[in-house]
């Protein structure tokens, strides 16, 4: 289909994706740990705008996800936006819906366009879990006697169920028990998602998503260019099978079949159908629908199975029309249980791997899986895709995209 034909089918209020970019995903204290979340966000935003061929001066609003905001300074989304060359006059809002933050930012941006409020929006998410501080919560009141307790901000603010006072991994254990998903099933899933991630990396499938990141090596030394997801190189199926349970004695959830602590950022440029035509922009995809869901906090693992059908209905589609799914792999059991509940064939789910193999930077992942979904649809000649992500507190978000025919996706080079 020619670009003119794509334009003819557009409505003025359609939400069009015209540029996408993400950083590679760095491991805990790994290749990207010298950069703050806001710097990673700036890199992703700048690249997405360049790929879209959209002048930063045209951006009207920015919504960007971030969960671990301690020590980042005021208004992390605004820092990321200004660092990418977006003008001071542009409104910026930081979104925290835990692991769904990046996707919720996309949804809010889409709503702004559909309501006719804005025509050019930048959305996405960012996280540097490596740089999340540890803190002493009671020190402001004075430390008069005895030891002080050092709190890990990453665990407290990102990985802990405050309602039941246990780690999120215990929710995964509850899910494993409730649905009789064995350790063997979870390990096999983890091995498969790593194999898919490695195959996607080696085939160049991630190259169009990733914008290379330049890391300084110090005075007089050449910079290092990071252009691949770090954790894939560490995959060892033999070691994975030998790992002990992480959250309870005799449990089935391990570090090997869970997502890894990571750093990264992802950004999308959204424009209205009217603006896409006016600026003669290449349209990668349209956002067709979206939805949220919520249930008991400890049952967050199955919340995507509630949000995804709602999003498909809101998109005016049926499940039989969906070519590919991306469900964020907070834990292997999350992907397995939602696959079972929604009856998704394995060959349609997380075909390029997921958070268990690539990593899970909390505020970034909801946006990252949309990019990966678009790439997978493009490489497999698909049309409709659904992304879903669970979040702490019992929630989930989901979004439906429609890939445009003959979409051109530009890459970033350093």
């Amino acid at each position: 289909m020619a670009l003119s034909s794509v334009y003819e089918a557009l409505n003025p209020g359609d939400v069009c994706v015209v540029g996408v970019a993400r950083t590679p995903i760095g491991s805990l204290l790994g290749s990207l740990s010298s950069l703050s979340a806001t710097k990673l966000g700036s890199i992703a935003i700048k690249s997405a705008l360049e790929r879209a061929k959209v002048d930063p001066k045209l951006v009207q609003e920015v919504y960007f996800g971030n969960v671990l905001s301690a020590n980042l300074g005021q208004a992390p989304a605004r820092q990321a936006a200004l660092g990418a060359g977006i003008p001071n006059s542009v409104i910026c809002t930081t979104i925290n819906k835990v692991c769904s933050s990046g996707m919720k930012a996309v949804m809010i941006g889409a709503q702004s366009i559909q309501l006719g409020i804005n025509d050019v929006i930048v959305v996405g998410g960012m996280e540097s879990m490596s740089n999340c501080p540890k803190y002493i919560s009671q020190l402001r009141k004075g430390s008069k006697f005895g030891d002080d307790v050092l709190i890990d901000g990453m665990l407290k603010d990102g990985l802990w169920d405050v309602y039941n006072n246990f780690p999120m991994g215990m929710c995964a254990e509850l899910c494993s028990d409730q649905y009789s998903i064995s350790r063997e099933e979870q390990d096999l899933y983890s091995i498969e998602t790593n194999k898919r991630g490695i195959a996607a990396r080696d085939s160049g499938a991630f190259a169009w998503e990733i914008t290379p990141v330049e890391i300084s090596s110090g005075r007089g030394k050449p910079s290092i260019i990071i252009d691949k997801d770090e954790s894939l190189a560490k995959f060892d199926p033999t070691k994975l099978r030998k790992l002990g349970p992480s959250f309870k004695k005799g449990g089935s959830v391990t570090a090997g079949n869970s997502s890894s602590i990571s750093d990264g950022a992802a950004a999308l440029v959204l424009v209205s159908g009217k603006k896409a035509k006016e600026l003669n922009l290449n349209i990668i995809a349209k956002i067709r629908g979206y939805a949220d869901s919520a249930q008991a906090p400890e049952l967050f693992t199955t919340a995507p199975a509630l949000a995804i059908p709602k999003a498909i209905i809101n998109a005016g589609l049926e499940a039989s029309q969906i070519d590919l799914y991306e469900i964020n792999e907070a834990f292997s059991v999350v992907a397995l249980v939602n696959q079972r509940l929604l009856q998704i064939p394995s060959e349609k789910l997380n075909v390029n791997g997921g958070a268990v193999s690539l990593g899970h930077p909390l505020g970034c992942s909801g946006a990252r899986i949309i990019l990966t979904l678009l790439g997978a649809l493009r490489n497999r000649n698909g049309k409709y895709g659904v992304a879903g992500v669970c979040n702490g507190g019992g929630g989930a978000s989901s979004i439906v995209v429609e890939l445009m025919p003959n979409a051109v996706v530009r890459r970033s080079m350093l």
Side-chain angles (χ1 to χ4, degrees), residues 156-175:
K156 174 74 172 180
D157 300 324
L159 305 174
W160 196 262
D161 184 317
V162 298
Y163 311 94
N164 297 286
N165 197 33
F166 55 40
M168 303 304 292
M170 281 300 299
C171 302
E173 289 284 7
L174 288 171
C175 180

Side-chain angles (χ1 to χ4, degrees), residues 59-103:
V59 176
Q60 296 167 293
E61 197 153 4
V62 175
Y63 295 101
F64 229 67
N66 179 247
V67 179
L68 304 173
S69 297
N71 206 41
L72 280 178
Q74 288 184 342
R78 186 159 177 81
Q79 292 182 51
L82 298 188
I86 291 175
N88 290 332
S89 57
V90 174
I91 306 154
C92 305
T93 304
T94 306
I95 307 298
N96 185 350
K97 193 176 183 278
V98 209
C99 304
S100 295
S101 300
M103 186 174 291

Side-chain angles (χ1 to χ4, degrees), residues 79-358:
Q79 292 182 51
L82 298 188
I86 291 175
N88 290 332
S89 57
V90 174
I91 306 154
C92 305
T93 304
T94 306
I95 307 298
N96 185 350
K97 193 176 183 278
V98 209
C99 304
S100 295
S101 300
M103 186 174 291
K104 190 64 178 178
V106 178
M107 291 162 63
I108 294 173
Q111 289 170 343
S112 178
I113 289 172
Q114 290 170 321
L115 289 168
I117 297 170
N118 290 306
D119 286 304
V120 183
I121 301 280
V122 170
V123 294
M126 58 190 172
E127 206 72 71
S128 177
M129 299 179 78
S130 294
N131 285 302
C132 183
K134 297 186 178 185
Y135 50 80
I136 301 173
S137 64
Q138 299 298 314
L139 192 59
R140 186 177 298 279
K141 299 177 182 178
S143 180
K144 296 182 178 179
F145 183 78
D147 298 331
D148 293 310
V149 177
L150 196 64
I151 294 172
D152 186 341
M154 183 206 309
L155 181 62
K156 174 74 172 180
D157 300 324
L159 305 174
W160 196 262
D161 184 317
V162 298
Y163 311 94
N164 297 286
N165 197 33
F166 55 40
M168 303 304 292
M170 281 300 299
C171 302
E173 289 284 7
L174 288 171
C175 180
S176 172
D177 292 342
Q178 181 179 355
Y179 291 93
S180 300
I181 298 175
S182 68
R183 162 72 185 269
E184 178 69 9
E185 287 179 271
Q186 293 172 64
D187 283 355
L188 285 173
Y189 182 91
S190 179
I191 290 168
E192 177 62 21
T193 195
N194 273 279
K195 287 180 177 178
R196 291 183 180 191
I198 290 167
R201 177 199 65 190
D202 293 347
S203 70
F206 291 142
W208 81 273
E209 299 178 30
I210 293 175
T211 185
V213 175
E214 186 174 2
I215 303 294
S216 173
S217 298
R219 184 181 298 177
K221 298 179 181 178
S223 296
I224 299 171
I225 304 301
I226 307 299
D227 61 1
K228 290 182 174 61
D229 300 313
E230 188 173 1
S231 65
L232 289 172
K234 302 176 181 180
F235 173 57
D236 185 331
T238 302
K239 288 184 179 178
L240 186 150
R241 291 181 180 276
K242 293 179 179 179
L243 292 169
S246 298
F247 301 102
K248 75 172 186 178
K249 186 177 180 180
S252 63
V253 181
T254 73
N257 59 42
S258 305
S259 60
S260 56
I261 295 168
S262 306
D263 308 327
L268 302 88
V269 181
L270 307 181
V271 303
S272 65
K274 173 185 174 183
K275 185 61 69 172
K277 290 180 184 179
E278 179 186 321
L279 298 178
N280 196 34
L281 298 175
N282 172 62
I283 301 169
I284 300 170
K286 292 194 298 186
I287 293 176
R288 288 290 303 260
Y290 41 81
D292 293 300
S293 65
Q295 54 188 2
E298 65 274 16
L299 302 180
F300 81 91
T301 49
T302 55
L306 302 177
I308 287 172
K310 288 169 63 178
I312 293 172
I313 291 170
N314 290 343
L317 301 173
E318 297 181 359
S320 61
Q321 295 175 268
I322 305 303
D323 296 300
L324 294 174
Y325 291 82
E326 284 285 329
I327 296 178
N328 191 55
E329 299 167 353
F331 303 92
S332 291
V333 73
V334 170
L336 286 166
V337 73
N338 286 284
Q339 179 183 3
R340 181 189 297 180
L341 292 171
L342 296 171
Q343 299 182 338
I344 301 171
S346 176
E347 63 271 17
K348 285 189 172 187
L349 176 63
N350 296 358
V351 294
N352 288 335
V356 167
S357 55
L358 304 177

